[in-house]
Amino acid sequence: MKKVIIIFTALLLLSSFPITRIDAAADKKSATVSIPANTGLNGPDNSAKTFLLELPSSVPKEAIIASSLKYTGNNEKLGLSIENGKIQVTLKGTQNNKIVEVQGYEGSHARMYRTDIYNSIWLYSDGRRWQINEYDENRNTMKTRDVNAADGYPSKNPPKTIVTAGPLQSKDSLKWYNGSKTDVVESQNVIANSIKSEITGYSAYASEEPKFKNGRVIINYEIPNTIPYEPEPSDGLSGKAEGRKYFAFVEYYYTAQAKITTYSYGGTVTFDYQLPNEPTLTGSAAVLAPNPNPFKFEGNDVKVKLSIKGELLGYTDTSNISEWVFYAKEKGNDASLAQKKIFDKALATSNTFDHFVISKSKLASAEKAIQDYNLTVRIRFKKPVTSGGKSVDYLDKAFTATVEVYKTNPTVVVPPPGGTPQKPTQKPPVAVIDGPDLVKAGEDFFISGERSYDPDGTIVDYKWNLPGVQEEVSGKNGWTWYPISKMGMNSGTLRVTDNDDMSRGTSTRIEVIAPTPVASIIARGTLKENRKVTLKNKSRSPEHYPLVAEKTRITITAVSGGSNADIKYSGSLNGMQEKDVIFKKPGTYKATITVENTAGYSDTNSVTFDIVPDQAPVAYIGVPSEAYRDPENGNQAVVSLIDMSFSPDFDFLARRVWEYRYDSNNNGSFEDEGWTVANSENLTTIRLTLIEVGRYEVKLTVFEEFDQPTIPEFITEADRKFGDTRTQSQIEKIVTVKNRAPEVDWSL
């Protein structure tokens, strides 16, 4: 087979919807875009379909003359317009009554029926014989036979033997489909005598392919010593007796013919467009080698050749063209960047890069290697030109390309003992869609076919049909979204093609609901009085129906403890993304936000939070109880004082004032004495020098500074907390200065 998969930013959908004609005129051109043929679609959802067609890469959406749009084909046109840079055409399906091939699954699409059966094998109490219980397809009943042990006494395992199982064939929850999970076929449309059973999988140790007989699934499988088993209950057994369960399985589904009504689509859309009136760079890119792409690995390095073309529209002064520059590199590998220049005075030119290689080492332990390439074409001008309302020296156009190299691992059917391996048969791929069941209009969502697989090869092509989406999905996966006009249930399909040119499809249903925003506001920061609290607008809305900032409304109210007057901030709360606020008093407060998006939907939400009190620091000091005057130090006493103060809510102690007072009249009271400042330099330890004998009381006052952000314009000095040692036990704050006793020396 020859299949080419090239993923380009501007080229992929052009190849899917080819331009079949472009006619030049004096001031405008005409173009034709094909509608992808859709035939044999079943069910009421397919009685009308909307297609979004990509414009040719050389046609800017602004250049299209909307009044010139025209549909030609066999379908009835229900709508035709330009939407978000694409051609949107809605067609009524052409109805046909026909016989189609359908598939029957257990309850849902691609869910196979599965029989799990086991045979009981019993060892007699003598330890020398095994009893085989199995199904007799000729008599349609169970039978028993004995075989002698072949591995000594007592036997550890039954001898290698082939047993037959015949579980009933099920049609419970049988549901019929025409190729995808959205194309459901009613059972009354199925032709009963055309129903057949198809095997899709079975135990690897089966001696031959299972078959269907007597309303049962017949499987003959071998029991060697290597097959796991489960023990049977041993109640009532004696001697060496034991029982085992040996398991096998078969998976299958049904095929049949059905008489159904189908719908088909096709045709073309033509339109006129005017060339740009200012310089516009377009172009394309292509993978020239390997060919085909994806390429089957042959054990060697794979050479890659890329082509890139640039075309300048809306400009005629070739004398002002300085050069064309072409860039190419492996995605994510800046070191691989290559550059080529052409000095042609031409409005269109191209170049190739043939030095890239996909190393065979990439497939040493992998089934496939995928390499993406970034390509850019640039045109430089001698003198600046005006494009997009700006004066520019050059214009750029970027593209991407992907090369895939794969291995093939055919499935080999296990032959009967002593038989000859059978040649692998071609099997179609299996398409799998992973995506949401429910999305909001305008909300980007990711849809993927990456879990699709080919049982005997590689998938080489992914074809998506997601009517109504605003961004086409190509390749294995992509991001897209639905507009408001598609609210309700929407269907989509994926068809995959493998390297044997065999295709299979599947489908999905996505419910699109109103693009309602979600209002959300949070309070961050230090939730404490006089500290900065940041209210953040965390509301969200579907990406393509964003919030209107001017319609955002915020209110903050006091619930308990404080009042609305205690809430301080600058400017307005409306339209904000975040706002810094402080609360002058502790208490419970509530912030409410209301938002509205461009689609006119709104939402309101609130957050309630507590502002805790700012706790004053706790002052505490260490003071010795006695100190002695030192004759060698001017008869002064030196007292070491230690600060052990702390802030219970972890604020910063920014200032310390040490004071003392002397009981000058020795009356036992300090209340009639004044304080003297000993130190105000914010020291945690000081040495206090005292002269007079007697008692001194020491006091420390500590002042804290906010250790968390605030809004200075709303803060006064009174807002800063302080504490002193008045609450500390007085006896712990008093030092008594004494004279040192004289020393007597009786020596001569």
Side-chain angles (χ1 to χ4, degrees), residues 226-473:
T226 56
I227 293 181
Y229 63 88
E230 292 182 5
E232 290 272 20
S234 59
D235 297 344
L237 299 181
S238 61
K240 305 297 182 181
E242 65 167 294
R244 300 180 181 181
K245 300 176 183 177
Y246 286 90
F247 292 86
F249 78 91
V250 179
E251 288 184 345
Y252 58 96
Y253 71 106
Y254 296 95
T255 63
Q257 292 182 326
K259 295 179 180 179
I260 62 174
T261 300
T262 63
Y263 303 90
S264 60
Y265 301 86
T268 59
V269 174
T270 59
F271 59 90
D272 296 333
Y273 66 97
Q274 293 179 327
L275 293 175
N277 56 13
E278 62 178 19
T280 303
L281 184 60
T282 65
S284 60
V287 175
L288 302 181
N291 188 12
N293 174 35
F295 184 74
K296 183 177 179 181
F297 182 57
E298 296 177 346
N300 303 311
D301 292 344
V302 178
K303 294 182 179 180
V304 176
K305 186 175 183 180
L306 307 172
S307 171
I308 182 171
K309 176 185 177 181
E311 182 177 3
L312 183 61
L313 303 177
Y315 194 72
T316 58
D317 185 7
T318 57
S319 64
N320 191 39
I321 296 175
S322 173
E323 63 182 6
W324 289 86
V325 188
F326 300 86
Y327 304 92
K329 71 171 186 176
E330 295 176 350
K331 185 178 180 180
N333 181 11
D334 292 341
S336 68
L337 179 65
Q339 172 186 293
K340 290 186 178 183
K341 292 186 177 182
I342 296 178
F343 298 94
D344 291 348
K345 305 290 186 179
L347 296 176
T349 187
S350 62
N351 218 320
T352 60
F353 294 88
D354 58 4
H355 68 286
F356 292 109
V357 173
I358 297 179
S359 172
K360 62 182 180 182
S361 62
K362 288 189 175 182
L363 286 100
S365 58
E367 290 302 311
K368 62 181 177 181
I370 299 176
Q371 181 61 61
D372 295 320
Y373 298 90
N374 293 333
L375 303 101
T376 302
V377 58
R378 171 176 293 180
I379 185 170
R380 295 185 184 275
F381 302 100
K382 293 178 181 179
K383 297 179 181 179
V385 300
T386 300
S387 180
K390 299 179 181 178
S391 179
V392 296
D393 298 317
Y394 64 88
L395 295 173
D396 281 342
K397 187 69 176 179
F399 307 93
T400 60
T402 298
V403 174
E404 180 177 339
V405 182
Y406 64 91
K407 293 179 180 179
T408 300
N409 290 314
T411 301
V412 177
V413 178
V414 178
T420 303
Q422 303 175 19
K423 294 182 179 180
T425 58
Q426 292 184 353
K427 296 183 179 180
V430 177
V432 178
I433 294 178
D434 289 315
D437 297 320
L438 182 74
V439 297
K440 288 185 177 182
E443 180 181 69
D444 285 330
F445 64 91
F446 187 76
I447 191 165
S448 174
E450 281 191 288
R451 289 201 305 118
S452 303
Y453 63 93
D454 182 24
D456 60 353
T458 304
I459 293 177
V460 299
D461 193 14
Y462 298 78
K463 294 292 186 185
W464 292 89
N465 183 23
L466 301 168
V469 296
Q470 298 302 290
E471 298 292 339
E472 289 294 334
V473 178

Side-chain angles (χ1 to χ4, degrees), residues 132 134 145 160-164 207 220-223 417:
I132 310 297
E134 61 181 341
R145 58 187 172 95
K160 182 183 292 187
T161 185
I162 294 177
V163 297
T164 302
S207 61
N220 297 297
Y221 64 102
E222 186 178 60
I223 302 182

Side-chain angles (χ1 to χ4, degrees), residues 541-654:
S541 182
E543 294 84 348
H544 301 280
Y545 298 109
L547 297 174
V548 180
E550 305 82 64
K551 295 186 177 181
T552 298
R553 297 287 181 265
I554 308 288
T555 60
I556 312 173
T557 55
V559 177
S560 62
S563 66
N564 290 346
D566 297 320
I567 305 168
K568 302 294 182 182
Y569 56 87
S570 298
S572 173
L573 292 174
N574 294 330
M576 69 88 176
Q577 281 301 113
E578 62 179 56
K579 173 67 71 173
D580 294 333
V581 184
I582 66 169
F583 300 84
K584 302 298 293 182
K585 289 184 179 179
T588 300
Y589 296 84
K590 180 171 73 172
T592 302
I593 184 171
T594 299
V595 296
E596 183 175 332
N597 62 19
T598 56
Y601 291 86
S602 61
D603 189 34
T604 299
N605 203 352
S606 300
V607 60
T608 301
F609 49 92
D610 293 322
I611 299 297
V612 300
D614 184 6
Q615 300 182 54
V618 177
Y620 194 87
I621 55 177
V623 179
S625 60
E626 296 179 341
Y628 293 89
R629 297 198 298 176
D630 185 356
E632 295 183 4
N633 187 27
N635 221 21
Q636 300 178 106
V638 178
V639 180
S640 295
L641 304 176
I642 301 174
D643 174 27
M644 295 180 285
S645 305
F646 64 94
S647 172
D649 54 356
F650 308 103
D651 283 324
F652 171 61
L653 299 183

